[in-house]
């Protein structure tokens, strides 16, 4: 019987080779792809997220664990296409205009992918109209905006205003985050939610979709 607990632990440990080996072993044994994802890879990332929240893990450990998880996902990507597994939801993410920081955004992206979401990354310095375009073209349920500087926070409001002007604000939930961002700022600009860290972003996304 494939050891999905061991697979989860390999992800937590950030052991890429072991993650790939155990994922392949589970595939070879005919374990359901959904179980490999949920009970192995995502279960591991969930623990990583908890440890990150509790300051037991720091950014490097999260990045290494995420890399291991992605290596495992690469093994089963061809099977996902065949088995018609639907992601939990689609999220478009980006750092707002004028801001070139991407570490926080990348962490959130990895955590969301680890939580079972399909994530489309617009990268950094993303102008409001590009976010609007992505909402129209990709039809995400959630738009995630990141800002690391107090000077670029107003671009979050500009983006939400642009969504309203384009008539698509009610089509998507907007969540925001980043070092200077607060819940009160989220309320002020009309965002649907605020996450203080990458692990909380997954909980927020889950609650926004429920």
């Amino acid at each position: 019987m494939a050891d999905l607990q061991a697979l989860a632990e390999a992800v937590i440990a950030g052991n890429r080779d072991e993650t790939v080996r155990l994922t392949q072993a589970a595939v070879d044994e005919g374990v359901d792809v959904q179980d490999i994802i949920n009970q192995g890879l995502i279960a591991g990332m969930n623990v990583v997220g908890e440890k990150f929240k509790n300051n037991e893990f720091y950014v490097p450990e999260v990045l290494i664990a995420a890399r291991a998880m992605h290596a495992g996902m690469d093994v089963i990507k061809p099977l996902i296409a065949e088995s018609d597994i639907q992601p939990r939801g689609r999220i478009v993410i980006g750092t707002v205009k004028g801001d070139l920081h991407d570490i926080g955004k990348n962490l959130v992206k990895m955590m969301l992918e680890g939580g079972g979401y399909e994530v489309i990354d617009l990268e950094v310095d993303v102008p409001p109209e590009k976010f609007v375009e992505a909402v129209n073209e990709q039809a995400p349920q959630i738009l995630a905006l990141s800002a690391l500087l107090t000077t670029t926070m107003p671009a979050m409001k500009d983006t939400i205003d642009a969504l309203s002007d384009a008539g698509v604000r009610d089509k998507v939930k907007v969540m925001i985050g980043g070092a200077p961002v607060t819940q009160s700022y989220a309320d002020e600009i009309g965002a649907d939610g605020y996450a203080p860290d990458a692990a909380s972003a997954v909980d927020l996304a889950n609650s926004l979709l429920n």
Side-chain angles (χ1 to χ4, degrees):
M1 178 56 201
D3 195 345
L4 296 179
Q5 176 64 37
L7 175 55
E9 281 163 12
V11 171
I12 297 164
N15 188 331
R16 190 176 168 179
D17 295 345
E18 187 70 353
T19 299
V20 168
R21 189 185 70 75
L22 289 167
T23 304
Q24 189 61 56
V27 170
D28 293 345
E29 283 181 34
V31 178
D32 185 64
V33 177
Q34 194 97 41
D35 290 342
I36 298 174
I37 295 171
N38 292 334
Q39 294 169 37
L41 300 169
I42 289 180
M45 278 309 283
N46 284 343
V47 173
V48 172
E50 283 303 313
K51 287 183 177 294
F52 184 61
K53 264 192 216 168
N54 298 331
N55 294 323
E56 294 167 41
F57 269 20
Y58 297 98
V59 172
E61 287 100 332
V62 175
L63 293 175
I64 291 167
R67 200 182 64 189
M69 181 205 77
H70 279 292
M73 288 299 270
D74 286 343
V75 173
I76 52 179
K77 272 216 175 102
L79 301 170
I80 295 174
E82 288 165 26
S83 65
D84 197 34
I85 291 175
Q86 294 303 317
R88 190 179 260 186
R90 178 180 290 176
I91 298 177
V92 167
I93 193 169
T95 303
V96 294
K97 185 168 172 57
D99 205 320
L100 301 173
H101 292 88
D102 66 355
I103 291 179
K105 169 188 67 66
N106 291 346
L107 263 181
V108 172
K109 177 187 172 186
M110 286 173 175
M111 283 296 192
L112 289 169
E113 287 176 341
Y117 287 95
E118 176 192 356
V119 183
I120 295 153
D121 187 359
L122 301 183
E123 304 295 339
V124 299
D125 192 20
V126 183
E129 54 274 19
K130 194 169 173 191
F131 281 118
V132 171
E133 195 179 288
V135 168
N136 282 322
E137 289 175 4
Q138 308 288 350
Q141 286 93 349
I142 295 175
L143 185 61
L145 308 178
S146 169
L148 265 286
L149 303 167
T150 44
T151 49
T152 55
M153 280 168 60
M156 290 179 156
K157 181 178 188 306
D158 295 344
T159 301
I160 292 176
D161 291 346
L163 292 170
S164 299
D165 293 344
V168 295
R169 176 64 187 92
D170 56 352
K171 286 188 181 169
V172 69
K173 299 281 190 194
V174 178
M175 54 190 262
I176 65 172
V181 182
T182 59
Q183 181 62 56
S184 63
Y185 185 68
D187 297 340
E188 184 188 317
I189 65 171
D192 296 293
Y194 154 74
D197 57 58
S200 306
V202 181
D203 299 337
L204 175 61
N206 295 343
S207 67
L208 286 175
L209 292 189
N210 285 342

